[in-house]
Amino acid sequence: MGKRFDKALREYLKPLEGFDNYQNWWNWYKNTEQRVQQYIKHLREYLPGISNLKILDLGCGAGGVCVSFANRNNRVLGLDLDKKLINLTKINVSDAENDFPPNAGVSIVLSSGTSLPFEDETFDLVICNDVIEHLTEQEELMLEIHRVLKIGGHLYLTTPNKRYPIESHTGIFGITLLPKPLADVFIRMSGLGTSFPVKLVSYESLIRLLLKVKFQSVINSPKWDKYLPNINLMKVIRKNRVLEWIFNLFTPLHTVLCKKS
């Protein structure tokens, strides 16, 4: 990520200047490689290899995930509905593409995740991180992802937990537990917008949705939660499936891996 990208990112984040969560968003877009290393660590537990794949990064944001996977010898298609983010992705890819392996690369598409412009069974892997909470048509999104995945392909998805007390997009404590009308009032009072911008999901509702659209082998392991303290209590939780499930109800971020059979 070069100076052109930093300048464009500052312009994109300008509306958040002065708010407490500005630095969090800056770090989110700039520290992509660190997150991708974590994604790959998870994927390698279940996938035979993380190269020579056709990957869809659905909700590609500023394109950092696209670039990181392309650097690992994959063909990546970045898709987003936000024209400004697509522009950031183009700048990001332009700065990095000379270093891609010969058969790797990134293509960019402006489109909606609920109406994907691809043939059935196109991708080996779909990455959908922190996207589903921004849509009301969540089942339609999952159906489209399922459609474009190859048989045996995987979906890697993350989304904030509805039950966690600190909401990650706004940084407001307790807003996730409020009815929508009251949450909208808090957002207006804080100056962050006119309404609560996301539709968060709980662990059980997310798993029900994934199974409903016929995903198999849904994995949501507490081992993957970067917020887990490395203490003896957590080691006990990891070994007990009932305690794992209870912990998943309250973890800040759901991380799931699903397979299309």
Side-chain angles (χ1 to χ4, degrees):
M1 296 180 183
K3 292 181 179 179
R4 281 199 314 147
F5 177 83
D6 287 357
K7 181 179 178 180
L9 181 58
R10 286 192 186 94
E11 186 63 27
Y12 178 74
L13 293 177
K14 205 167 187 178
L16 293 179
E17 285 181 354
F19 290 103
D20 292 340
N21 61 344
Y22 177 89
Q23 192 61 45
N24 291 337
W25 282 110
W26 176 267
N27 293 340
W28 171 261
Y29 287 116
K30 288 288 290 181
N31 298 334
T32 310
E33 175 60 27
Q34 184 179 358
R35 295 201 309 277
V36 169
Q37 289 177 12
Q38 193 70 29
Y39 302 162
I40 289 174
K41 180 181 177 182
H42 301 160
L43 291 167
R44 279 184 172 150
E45 294 183 33
Y46 299 95
L47 272 66
I50 315 295
S51 62
N52 299 308
L53 300 177
K54 192 168 184 180
I55 299 173
L56 171 63
D57 183 11
L58 198 164
C60 62
V65 171
C66 296
V67 169
S68 291
F69 275 95
N71 281 329
R72 291 167 171 85
N73 200 29
N74 295 289
R75 296 291 303 177
V76 187
L77 195 147
L79 180 144
D80 210 289
L81 192 56
D82 187 325
K83 292 181 180 179
K84 293 180 179 179
L85 286 175
I86 287 290
N87 182 55
L88 279 170
T89 298
K90 289 178 179 178
I91 295 171
N92 206 351
V93 171
S94 176
D95 287 345
E97 60 188 350
N98 288 339
D99 296 324
F100 292 162
N103 295 320
V106 177
S107 303
I108 305 164
V109 174
L110 176 69
S111 183
S112 167
T114 58
S115 183
L116 295 173
F118 312 118
E119 300 289 336
D120 295 357
E121 300 182 19
T122 297
F123 298 99
D124 302 293
L125 172 66
V126 174
I127 299 167
C128 185
N129 289 339
D130 303 293
V131 172
I132 188 173
E133 69 271 15
H134 293 280
L135 298 175
T136 55
E137 310 94 338
Q138 294 177 345
E139 184 173 343
E140 289 87 341
L141 174 68
M142 292 299 104
L143 285 168
E144 276 292 272
I145 291 173
H146 190 274
R147 179 182 67 79
V148 302
L149 270 173
K150 297 177 182 178
I151 300 297
H154 290 80
L155 163 65
Y156 183 82
L157 178 150
T158 66
T159 186
N161 184 4
K162 179 180 181 179
R163 293 203 174 104
Y164 196 70
I166 300 174
E167 202 284 308
S168 60
H169 295 83
T170 61
I172 298 176
F173 181 87
I175 196 168
T176 57
L177 307 178
L178 296 177
K180 180 71 164 58
L182 279 179
D184 290 344
V185 170
F186 269 80
I187 291 296
R188 289 194 292 271
M189 290 174 61
S190 68
L192 289 172
T194 58
S195 63
F196 187 47
V198 289
K199 182 184 177 184
L200 300 176
V201 295
S202 63
Y203 169 72
E204 63 271 28
S205 63
L206 176 61
I207 300 305
R208 277 198 305 267
L209 173 58
L210 293 167
L211 294 174
K212 183 178 180 181
V213 300
K214 307 302 182 185
F215 275 111
Q216 304 295 324
S217 304
V218 178
I219 302 159
N220 186 25
S221 173
K223 290 190 301 180
W224 295 352
D225 189 344
K226 67 179 181 180
Y227 300 94
L228 277 174
N230 188 21
I231 57 175
N232 290 333
L233 176 61
M234 292 300 105
K235 293 179 182 178
V236 172
I237 288 175
R238 290 185 184 116
K239 292 178 180 178
N240 186 297
R241 292 304 299 170
V242 174
L243 292 178
E244 277 188 353
W245 188 86
I246 293 171
F247 187 83
N248 278 330
L249 295 177
F250 302 101
T251 186
L253 186 75
H254 299 311
T255 302
V256 298
L257 179 66
C258 318
K259 184 176 181 180
K260 178 178 177 178
S261 301

